[in-house]
Amino acid sequence: LADSRIEENQVKELNQLSISYNKMLGRLSHAFETQRQFTANAAHELRTPLALMQVQLDLYNSTRHPDNDAETLQTIKMVTEQNDRLGKMVKTLLDMSEFQTVSRDEKIIVDALVDEVLADLEPLAQEKDITLIGKCESITMMGSDVLIYRLVYNLVENAIRYNHLGGQVTVTACRKEQKVCLSVSDTGSGIPENLRERVFEPFFRVDKSRSRELGGVGLGLALAREIVRVHEGSITVRPNPSGGTIFDVTFTQGSI
Ligand code: ADP
């Protein structure tokens, strides 16, 4: 009798725990949803004034202004560049907030997608005489084609931008048991050990002025991490033994 009472109490306790666990999960997902909505609304609101400024700037830039001095032209150039940067940031924030609604049950031919990214980034690589190498097994996975393209694109674009002249970028993809493993390695400047984990934070840049010079807004890897998260995968960064950086992405769920 005493034993069954103890069991009964344990079951009660477990029930209580599961109720509070469910409540907590509910609150957490509500908080996430509120944050997502806020980001989406803020980005939407910012889009209109930015687009208006862009129209005015385009109009101004397309007209000849013989009376303008060098200082005015320099100011206009700077404003145009900053407006462009803001536009990129707002677009990325909007994309991120819309991830939850994107379909993730498409069959993706990983090797073909990597080839497409490499072909699209070839002109950028040529500017720095960088060799792009694809070493992918013929594999498929389930996910959002457009998001996985963006993920690989962001990683390869960074591998080119933060590389040395005449460097190399290698993309590998293979299946290990039920997992799809994708790696992007470069022969670039590398990332200091104490900052490696922080590169996934929004707006974080190792060298602010250099990234800005290269056209970055500090959201590429935050976006990559978010894409991996919605596909229930993982993304990590490690130093390349021969100098440079390697980003490893692993997908378990949904791969076929
Ligand atoms: P950004 O738009 O500045 O490139 P990201 O989120 O894509 O923003 O990257 C964050 C920062 O991480 C970059 O500013 C850069 O300092 C560093 N980083 C990203 N990829 C690499 C890489 N392959 N090699 C060296 N540093 C990198």
Side-chain angles (χ1 to χ4, degrees), residues 85 88 154-163 169 184-192 195-196 198-208 210-212 214-224 237 244-247:
R85 273 170 55 73
K88 276 190 199 163
N154 282 5
L155 293 178
V156 177
E157 190 186 27
N158 276 350
I160 298 171
R161 282 195 298 155
Y162 300 105
N163 214 322
V169 175
V184 177
S185 67
D186 65 59
T187 52
S189 48
I191 304 170
L195 302 177
R196 233 167 262 149
R198 297 202 59 197
V199 292
F200 296 104
E201 291 173 16
F203 305 111
F204 181 83
R205 277 155 303 165
V206 173
D207 179 343
K208 272 199 169 45
R210 180 147 187 267
S211 304
R212 194 164 294 165
L214 296 169
V217 292
L219 284 173
L221 288 178
L223 192 76
V237 56
T245 310
I246 304 181
F247 282 89

Side-chain angles (χ1 to χ4, degrees), residues 31 44 139 142 208 227 248:
H44 268 295
I139 44 175
M142 296 303 283
K208 272 199 169 45
I227 294 173
D248 297 301

Side-chain angles (χ1 to χ4, degrees), residues 7 21 59 121 124 147 171 176 228 249-250:
E7 244 174 53
Y21 180 72
L59 210 64
L121 282 168
L124 185 71
L147 291 187
V171 184
K176 280 190 195 137
V228 172
V249 179
T250 308

